[in-house]
Amino acid sequence: MILKERRTDVNSVTNWNVPLVWEGTFDPVVIDAIYKRMDPRVAVIVFAIGKYTQFIKAFLKSGEKYFLVDFRVTYYIFTDHKENVPQVKLGRSRNISVITVPSAKRWQEVVFGRMKWATIAIETQIVNEADYVFMMDIDSVFHNRFGAESLSRLSAVLHRIYYKNTHRDSFLYERRPESTAHIPAGKGDYYYTAAVWGGYVEDMYKLVKQCYTQAEEDSKNNIEAAWQEESHLNKYLLHNKPAKVLSPEYLWSDYDAVQADIKVVRISQLVKDYAKVRPN
């Protein structure tokens, strides 16, 4: 990373010696310039199933203002109501691709379905159209710059609730040995959110395919991981370390007060009435 200034209030390196990215640990002008010379194509995968289509417009409009501005970006919107995808003015070299997927009766089906449909879309379409892929939650809004400092082979985001916690046994890992997402007590690095993560298209494909395969295996054995895809994501990243870890700046929540060490909120999950937007 290109250092702008040194933060002394946070840890900016992981224990496997890769960057832990915070505001104040990189120079945004320099790092964007480096990546722009490479001219990468970036895919953003979001799912807007059922009533979640109401969040598309704000996500896209804020993304156009703050997400990898002046880079080539395609938003891949997976939805069961393509007629509800709004028209949003996009910048140069910015596009939308709508992919139709089935409706769901349970919100857990939507969550697990993300790994399945992302696997299929990457191997059949996105692999030919992107160099990097991000998976994001549609019920989120960008508030500040989300730039090239987020790009790497694999980038994972620290969960806002657990990022200060050093006691691994308090993380919400899947602890049942019967599940393929099982992480034994005393093991683990960090607890990562499944609401934002990304990486090279090839590495993201390996990740989503393995998580999908493991979830299918669990289903055959009549078990569902404690936190669905997030449990499988954390298991994968324990054994396939991210090349960058992003601070909770890269996924906060409007439900929570901003902590003193969060100098900027780059993207935040919206407050919502789950009873009104989820299928169950």
Side-chain angles (χ1 to χ4, degrees):
M1 295 291 287
I2 308 298
L3 292 180
K4 181 181 180 183
E5 58 189 66
R6 191 171 297 277
R7 290 276 296 267
T8 59
D9 59 327
V10 294
N11 184 8
S12 60
V13 180
T14 70
N15 58 13
W16 60 96
N17 203 34
V18 303
L20 205 171
V21 183
W22 297 82
E23 175 72 4
T25 63
F26 62 92
D27 186 317
V29 175
V30 172
I31 200 162
D32 274 5
I34 290 171
Y35 277 91
K36 282 177 183 176
R37 287 197 293 269
M38 302 175 191
D39 196 24
R41 301 164 298 168
V42 181
V44 179
I45 293 177
V46 291
F47 283 74
I49 307 299
K51 296 178 180 178
Y52 273 72
T53 56
Q54 67 187 277
F55 302 116
I56 297 174
K57 188 173 184 178
F59 180 90
L60 293 176
K61 289 186 70 174
S62 63
E64 284 302 282
K65 188 174 181 180
Y66 294 116
F67 180 73
L68 286 168
V69 176
D70 296 329
F71 284 81
R72 292 192 284 169
V73 172
T74 299
Y75 302 96
Y76 292 85
I77 301 174
F78 293 67
T79 183
D80 56 341
H81 291 291
K82 64 180 182 180
E83 69 278 5
N84 291 338
V85 176
Q87 295 292 319
V88 174
K89 184 177 180 180
L90 304 178
R92 184 174 61 86
S93 299
R94 317 274 286 197
N95 300 285
I96 293 174
S97 178
V98 179
I99 299 175
T100 301
V101 293
S103 300
K105 295 180 180 179
R106 302 170 60 240
W107 66 265
Q108 292 91 340
E109 292 176 17
V110 177
V111 172
F112 277 126
R114 287 173 21 129
M115 294 299 194
K116 173 183 177 180
W117 297 113
T119 298
I120 294 171
I122 291 174
E123 69 184 6
T124 60
Q125 178 180 352
I126 298 175
V127 69
N128 300 312
E129 300 173 354
D131 304 300
Y132 292 91
V133 177
F134 276 95
M135 296 274 287
M136 295 186 173
D137 279 4
I138 194 66
D139 54 337
S140 306
V141 170
F142 294 89
H143 296 287
N144 287 285
R145 167 208 158 81
F146 193 122
E149 76 283 350
S150 64
L151 298 174
S152 79
R153 177 184 56 79
L154 275 179
S155 299
V157 178
L158 298 183
H159 197 291
R160 71 187 190 281
I161 294 177
Y162 300 98
Y163 76 100
K164 293 183 179 181
N165 199 327
T166 58
H167 302 289
R168 297 168 179 163
D169 289 348
S170 67
F171 292 162
L172 295 180
Y173 295 147
E174 173 56 72
R175 299 299 190 184
R176 294 170 295 175
E178 296 82 10
S179 173
T180 57
H182 171 238
I183 295 177
K187 301 294 183 180
D189 299 312
Y190 301 106
Y191 190 79
Y192 305 106
T193 177
V196 176
W197 37 287
Y200 288 158
V201 63
E202 297 87 353
D203 290 87
M204 287 290 284
Y205 176 70
K206 292 176 184 177
L207 191 165
V208 295
K209 185 176 182 180
Q210 181 164 321
C211 289
Y212 166 52
T213 301
Q214 290 184 343
E216 287 289 288
E217 185 176 340
D218 276 5
S219 180
K220 292 176 183 177
N221 294 321
N222 296 313
I223 191 168
E224 186 175 276
W227 291 97
Q228 295 82 40
E229 65 168 355
E230 193 166 85
S231 298
H232 291 281
L233 174 68
N234 275 274
K235 173 65 177 289
Y236 185 92
L237 293 175
L238 174 60
H239 299 287
N240 302 270
K241 308 292 190 194
K244 282 182 186 174
V245 175
L246 307 178
S247 71
E249 298 168 359
Y250 292 84
L251 197 281
W252 198 251
S253 172
D254 290 353
Y255 287 95
D256 300 316
V258 178
Q259 300 298 304
D261 53 4
I262 305 296
K263 304 302 183 184
V264 58
V265 172
R266 304 185 188 281
I267 183 171
S268 187
Q269 292 177 311
L270 297 168
V271 173
K272 65 198 75 68
D273 185 344
Y274 285 109
K276 294 182 178 179
V277 296
R278 283 181 171 176
N280 63 301

